Amino acid sequence: MSTEQQQNEPQTQTAEANTNHQKKVKKSVGKLVFTVFAMFAFGFALVPLYDVFCDITGLNGKTANTAAEVNDSGIDTSRTIKVQFLSRTAQGAPWKFEPEMNFIEVHPGEMKFVKFYAKNQSGRYAVAQAVPSVSPGQAANYFQKIECFCFNQQPLEADNDVWMPLQFYVDVDLPEHIEELTLSYTLYDITDNS
C-alpha cells in the first residue's frame, strides 16, 4: 500500500463516520418530531375520549343541559336523600353567587324548588352562564332538572341582583347506596362571548 493510500484511508473512515453520524442525527430528529406530533394529537383527542369514557361509565358528574320530564313514577317516601348545594364564581367573574340554602332533604321522586342568588358587582352590564356538576358522578344521571337557570345565559345590569330558580327531583331509580349528593354550580362571566 502506498503512502498516499494510507493517508487517504483515515480521511475516508472519517467521512464515513460523519455520514453515519448525520444519518443517526436525522433519524433521531425524525423520531422526536413524530413524538411531538403524536403527543399533540393525543392531547387534542383527550377531551372527546374523556367524554366518551365518562358517558360509558357515568363518572363525569355532568347533568343534562335540557329540561327533564316531570316525574310521574311516584315518590319513594322510604328513602331520604340529602342534596347539598355549592356555588362558586370562576376566576375573574365579578359576581356574587350563592344558594338560598346549603342543603335540602328530599324523597326520591319528590319535586323541590330552590333559588340561587346572583349579583353583578362589576359596575357594567354583564352576562353569566352557570355550569352544573353533580357528585358523586354516578348520581348525575338521576338528578333531574325541570327548570334551571343554567339552561340559559343570565344577563344582568351593573350592581343589580336576581334570584334564579331551580326545580328538580331525584329519580326513584337512584342506587340505594347513594344517600347524599352535591349539586355544584360554577358561574362564568361570558360577557365578551355573548
Side-chain angles (χ1 to χ4, degrees):
M1 196 186 282
S2 70
T3 309
E4 190 176 305
Q5 287 176 333
Q6 288 177 351
Q7 288 176 350
N8 286 340
E9 191 172 308
Q11 289 176 351
T12 304
Q13 290 174 351
T14 303
E16 286 177 13
N18 283 342
T19 303
N20 287 339
H21 180 71
Q22 288 176 348
K23 287 180 182 178
K24 287 179 182 178
V25 168
K26 285 182 182 179
K27 189 174 182 179
S28 294
V29 168
K31 286 180 181 179
L32 288 173
V33 168
F34 174 78
T35 302
V36 167
F37 282 117
M39 289 171 60
F40 177 77
F42 180 73
F44 188 73
L46 232 107
V47 172
L49 289 174
Y50 176 77
D51 286 342
V52 168
F53 172 77
C54 290
D55 286 344
I56 291 170
T57 62
L59 296 175
N60 62 0
K62 293 180 184 177
T63 61
N65 291 329
T66 57
E69 297 289 324
V70 175
N71 177 32
D72 60 359
S73 59
I75 298 173
D76 180 359
T77 56
S78 68
R79 294 177 63 193
T80 301
I81 308 298
K82 180 179 179 182
V83 179
Q84 182 179 10
F85 301 107
L86 300 176
S87 63
R88 69 181 211 80
T89 54
Q91 185 175 358
W95 292 65
K96 180 178 182 180
F97 179 51
E98 59 193 25
E100 71 175 328
M101 60 184 70
N102 293 327
F103 71 91
I104 192 170
E105 292 187 347
V106 302
H107 297 295
E110 179 182 18
M111 196 75 61
K112 288 293 183 175
F113 184 84
V114 295
K115 295 181 282 186
F116 282 71
Y117 175 79
K119 181 173 183 177
N120 177 358
Q121 299 176 318
S122 69
R124 62 176 173 79
Y125 172 82
V127 180
Q129 178 72 53
V131 177
S133 177
V134 172
S135 176
Q138 182 183 11
N141 296 329
Y142 303 95
F143 190 87
Q144 307 298 331
K145 298 182 305 265
I146 302 299
E147 178 185 1
C148 183
F149 58 91
C150 63
F151 295 153
N152 302 305
Q153 297 176 353
Q154 302 297 321
L156 203 55
E157 294 295 332
D159 300 316
N160 282 356
D161 59 359
V162 65
W163 284 97
M164 303 179 295
L166 168 65
Q167 186 177 14
F168 73 94
Y169 66 92
V170 177
D171 198 296
V172 293
D173 295 328
L174 179 73
E176 292 286 332
H177 70 277
I178 299 176
E179 298 175 354
E180 182 175 327
L181 58 90
T182 301
L183 174 63
S184 174
Y185 284 101
T186 302
L187 194 68
Y188 293 91
D189 184 352
I190 60 165
T191 307
D192 296 336
N193 300 330
S194 61

